[in-house]
Amino acid sequence: MHTARLTDICTPKQWKPLPQTAMTASGYPVYGANGLKGYYTEYNHLHRVIAIASRGCGCGAVYLTQPKAYVTANALCLERLHPDILPEYLYYYLKNYDFSPIITGAALPQITTNSLRNVTVRYGTHAQQQRIVSLLQQCDTILSKQQALLQQLQLLKATHYATLQQQYTCHAKGRFVPLSHIATIDCGKRNAGAASTAGAYPFFTCAKHVQTINCYDFDCECVLVSGNIDFRVRYFNGKFAAYQRIYILRVKNPAILSARYLFSYLHNNTQLLESRSVGTSIKYLKKKELQQTLIWLPPLRLQNSIADSMRCTDAAISNTLQAIKKTQQLSRKLMQNAWP
């Protein structure tokens, strides 16, 4: 087994930028910070090349381009690869590499050519590299099937919900009601930095992942709505705390409105929340606007039917997401354990 600096086994290079206005409807594939982004009439790489996203939120993502591709200035191309290294091996090695220590810049994260000098690569013979590549390719095959299943489930959910909503809106005895008439709306009480890694209670913020905290402010069944960023909607029943920009919605009369239905309605109609948001660079939702959001209120029996149906598809989607995460973890472990 050998160890070498990345810059000793290849030459990182940044090519010229390509404005979005220059893109074409067809032609050669164009790769940027987030992978494939469009097409262009020319290419700057005849053969496949490993590229590392070097700017923006996707900084550190690694991809292997198609032949005859254009790679923009938002990615670093690894060129003149040493003959001892298989391109596919280096691709998988870097794909499972943690680039966070060399990413700089708070407002605009970036990776520079100089910072890649701190990246080390471990490798063996071509035969050993190929064995590892074959294992990780099997992981990729499984991952592709899981991701395809996820897309199908998400499409099924969207189609099914649209059908239910149209059916009940058109034919059932129901009405549109302002949210404030059927639910109380409170705000979270904590600062975003109040989380504790060893906390016993969930701590909801506008971030994707739920954190923990040592105390709780609420003990109820409710729907939680993020007041900014992506207006994420969650359902929870129990003790928890929440960030100040989280709205806590509690049903006033369970005989009229199901909390799970309210979650399902808002979760599948986030465009309602987006349409009522204000702000230019950062969109946010005011409490008054949320109170005036209209909720379709069918009979309780139908509410429960919709909620149960959506809960089944949500569970299938959640299970598939967990399976994808585990496959990705397996891929990283295979690479980490490749060399003693």
Side-chain angles (χ1 to χ4, degrees):
M1 191 268 292
H2 306 283
T3 301
R5 291 194 305 181
L6 178 61
T7 50
D8 290 338
I9 59 173
C10 66
T11 303
K13 182 175 179 179
Q14 192 171 35
W15 289 77
K16 294 180 180 180
L18 183 66
Q20 187 68 37
T21 54
M23 300 288 181
T24 55
S26 60
Y28 300 107
V30 176
Y31 292 84
N34 297 309
L36 185 62
K37 60 178 293 185
Y39 299 91
Y40 188 49
T41 55
E42 301 176 11
Y43 59 86
N44 55 16
H45 287 83
L46 176 62
H47 303 290
R48 303 179 77 185
V49 65
I50 300 168
I52 303 174
S54 57
R55 292 178 184 171
C57 60
C59 198
V62 179
Y63 45 90
L64 188 61
T65 72
Q66 299 177 33
K68 294 184 178 180
Y70 193 105
V71 182
T72 73
N74 290 327
L76 287 165
C77 298
L78 305 186
E79 303 180 2
R80 298 178 183 177
L81 188 60
H82 194 282
D84 286 347
I85 309 294
L86 296 177
E88 292 81 5
Y89 172 79
L90 184 58
Y91 161 69
Y92 279 115
Y93 185 92
L94 296 176
K95 185 179 178 182
N96 292 283
Y97 191 88
D98 180 14
F99 285 96
S100 57
I102 67 168
I103 295 176
T104 59
L108 181 63
Q110 63 177 343
I111 294 176
T112 65
T113 301
N114 285 336
S115 65
L116 289 181
R117 297 177 185 275
N118 298 314
V119 175
T120 57
V121 178
R122 296 193 298 169
Y123 62 96
T125 64
H126 276 195
Q128 291 171 322
Q129 292 178 47
Q130 186 57 57
R131 177 180 58 83
I132 296 168
V133 168
S134 297
L135 288 173
L136 296 180
Q137 284 176 336
Q138 292 180 49
C139 284
D140 273 359
T141 299
I142 296 171
L143 190 60
S144 295
K145 292 179 180 179
Q146 291 170 333
Q147 290 170 335
L149 174 60
L150 177 63
Q151 291 179 345
Q152 291 174 341
L153 286 170
Q154 290 171 333
L155 178 60
L156 172 64
K157 176 184 175 181
T159 304
H160 181 47
Y161 186 82
T163 301
L164 288 174
Q165 188 176 31
Q166 181 180 19
Q167 176 185 348
Y168 294 145
T169 302
C170 294
H171 303 292
K173 294 180 179 179
R175 63 192 189 280
F176 282 105
V177 180
L179 181 58
S180 61
H181 290 190
I182 52 179
T184 60
I185 304 175
D186 297 303
C187 295
K189 302 179 180 181
R190 303 285 171 173
N191 294 323
S196 171
T197 54
Y201 304 100
F203 178 47
F204 296 99
T205 67
C206 294
K208 180 179 180 180
H209 300 291
V210 180
Q211 299 176 291
T212 57
I213 196 169
N214 290 321
C215 54
Y216 67 91
D217 299 313
F218 302 92
D219 184 5
C220 59
E221 181 185 30
C222 63
V223 176
L224 301 106
V225 177
S226 299
N228 54 22
I229 302 180
D230 59 2
F231 310 112
R232 183 175 287 106
V233 181
R234 291 185 170 102
Y235 168 88
F236 189 75
N237 189 0
K239 298 174 180 178
F240 68 94
Y243 169 53
Q244 294 165 351
R245 290 296 299 156
I246 298 293
Y247 294 112
I248 296 97
L249 283 52
R250 286 178 281 193
V251 170
K252 289 183 176 180
N253 186 350
I256 296 177
L257 175 65
S258 160
R260 284 196 172 274
Y261 168 77
L262 179 60
F263 160 74
S264 179
Y265 187 86
L266 292 175
H267 181 60
N268 291 282
N269 290 281
T270 52
Q271 69 275 9
L272 286 177
L273 304 176
E274 294 171 3
S275 67
R276 303 197 69 86
S277 63
V278 297
T280 52
S281 58
I282 299 178
K283 294 288 186 179
Y284 61 95
L285 189 64
K286 291 183 177 180
K287 184 176 180 180
K288 181 179 179 181
E289 297 299 326
L290 183 59
Q291 290 173 329
Q292 296 173 354
T293 300
L294 295 178
I295 306 297
W296 174 251
L297 197 65
L300 189 62
R301 178 182 60 82
L302 298 183
Q303 292 181 36
N304 291 330
S305 177
I306 294 173
D308 289 343
S309 181
M310 290 300 102
R311 183 162 44 182
C312 289
T313 52
D314 282 340
I317 289 172
S318 178
N319 291 338
T320 305
L321 285 169
Q322 287 297 318
I324 289 173
K325 183 178 179 180
K326 289 180 180 179
T327 302
Q328 292 170 332
Q329 291 174 340
L330 173 61
S331 182
R332 287 192 291 271
K333 287 293 183 183
L334 288 172
M335 179 55 76
Q336 292 169 1
N337 298 332
W339 311 110

